[in-house]
Amino acid sequence: MTDHAHHAAVIGWPIHQSLSPVIHHHWFEKTGLDGIYHAVAVAPDSLAAEIARFRAEGYAGFNVTVPHKEAIILYLDKLAPLARQMGAVNTVKIEEDGTLTGFNTDGMGLITHLKETVSDWPKDKPALILGAGGAARAAALGLINENVPMVMITNRTRARAETLAQEVGRGRMAVVDWDDRETAVSAAGLIVNTTTLGMIGQPALALNLDSAASDTVVYDIVYKPLLTPLLARAKARGLRVVDGLGMLVHQGAKAFKIWFGEDVGYDEDLKALM
Ligand code: ATR
């Protein structure tokens, strides 16, 4: 590239619906950095070629989304501890000498947004996670690292929840059968939905919140729609809720810091823009 702008990107397959370019361009404007954030559709068989192009063109780094979060590891020189624990990478930094380091900022993004939205969330109580995919893993690791006493996890396919608990639980995770998930509600200080249920075009998550304590916080990582049926029910019940958009913004802010060294966040202008 002949210009002196800062370049970063997000790679995925497909990629067209990504909100990340809007978020990062907002931060370029805010910080005064001359930058471009590209959304690039990269098929699995062109991953290596695309990384080589980013390197050759002096990119600061790139975000990685579905389906490349695990496959990318093969091409990296170094892995940050959280990315290693996750077994997945969502942010890559390209050093000036071309060295590639993988990070995972998803769990930190989730926790930062939680703390920012509900600063006094009941972290001395067990948390309940629904789902066992990559987002559930990020949530579980984030909460374990926050020293939550116990993380209960429930998933339609129980074996995936068991594997996740074994891999990241450090003896502080318990698997609850999907059919028994409501029995875990009363003990939970935090309930996190990481399944796709509640997303536009998907059925709502069936979870009766009647037995929840009055200080329970309900977090849904689904952000299309922003107010999912689960969050609407929680609100109607008088519970505090956290929506999924902030996690996306905060994991992006951590990537921006890694690439450009600038502190950015979920400021009021960005909230209005979203
Ligand atoms: P990600 O990595 O983005 O978190 P994923 O691996 O596709 O996504 O996980 C989606 C989650 O939603 C899984 O926990 C999935 O349950 P299974 O492991 O049993 O597939 C859950 N999920 C999707 N559709 C569901 C449904 N109709 N009922 C219950 N859980 C569902």
Side-chain angles (χ1 to χ4, degrees):
M1 224 154 263
T2 51
D3 60 296
H4 296 285
H6 298 276
H7 289 269
V10 53
I11 59 167
W13 184 257
I15 198 69
H16 47 83
Q17 80 291 11
S18 175
L19 280 173
S20 296
V22 176
I23 297 170
H24 284 274
H25 282 130
H26 169 78
W27 289 327
F28 282 137
E29 216 163 280
K30 213 71 216 184
T31 58
L33 274 182
D34 178 18
I36 306 174
Y37 185 95
H38 311 259
V40 189
V42 178
D45 61 0
S46 40
L47 201 49
E50 207 56 37
I51 297 168
R53 181 176 76 83
F54 290 159
R55 249 191 186 136
E57 295 186 357
Y59 277 50
F62 54 96
N63 283 131
V64 183
T65 185
V66 180
H68 305 310
K69 286 187 173 188
E70 285 105 26
I72 191 79
I73 292 175
L74 196 64
Y75 303 94
L76 304 178
D77 302 300
K78 288 188 246 169
L79 271 187
L82 267 174
R84 189 179 301 279
Q85 278 181 293
M86 281 281 294
V89 162
N90 78 332
T91 303
V92 175
K93 179 169 171 65
I94 307 176
E95 302 291 352
E96 280 186 18
D97 65 359
T99 305
L100 302 176
T101 308
F103 299 85
N104 197 306
T105 65
D106 283 336
M108 271 150 58
L110 183 141
I111 298 292
T112 303
H113 184 48
L114 170 64
K115 287 179 176 170
E116 205 172 274
T117 314
V118 194
S119 58
D120 61 339
W121 64 287
K123 63 181 292 187
D124 51 332
K125 287 191 185 178
L128 171 64
I129 296 176
L130 299 111
R137 185 171 292 252
L141 252 175
L143 291 168
I144 297 277
N145 287 341
E146 282 295 310
N147 289 321
V148 166
M150 175 62 71
V151 177
M152 303 178 283
I153 182 165
T154 183
N155 191 51
R156 178 180 59 182
T157 310
R158 185 182 167 106
R160 288 186 86 193
E162 276 167 359
T163 303
L164 198 159
Q166 264 166 20
E167 288 178 2
V168 308
R170 284 186 247 149
R172 280 189 281 141
M173 282 184 78
V175 178
V176 176
D177 217 71
W178 182 249
D179 291 334
D180 297 335
R181 62 193 181 279
E182 272 158 19
T183 61
V185 167
S186 61
L190 174 70
I191 297 173
V192 190
N193 174 45
T194 73
T195 74
T196 48
L197 294 168
M199 202 179 275
I200 291 170
Q202 296 281 327
L205 169 66
L207 186 71
N208 188 325
L209 297 170
D210 286 352
S211 65
S214 59
D215 65 345
T216 298
V217 175
V218 181
Y219 195 141
D220 201 332
I221 72 150
V222 170
Y223 57 84
K224 283 177 186 170
L226 208 48
L227 188 68
T228 60
L230 174 71
L231 293 189
R233 286 205 310 283
K235 267 191 154 171
R237 171 87 179 59
L239 304 177
R240 293 168 296 174
V241 303
V242 187
D243 69 63
L245 206 45
M247 174 182 174
L248 177 78
V249 171
H250 284 293
Q251 62 79 17
K254 293 186 195 312
F256 201 91
K257 173 84 177 176
I258 288 168
W259 300 326
F260 306 118
E262 298 269 352
D263 289 306
V264 290
Y266 202 5
D267 56 76
E268 291 310 316
D269 296 340
L270 186 54
K271 278 182 189 150
L273 193 66
M274 309 266 34

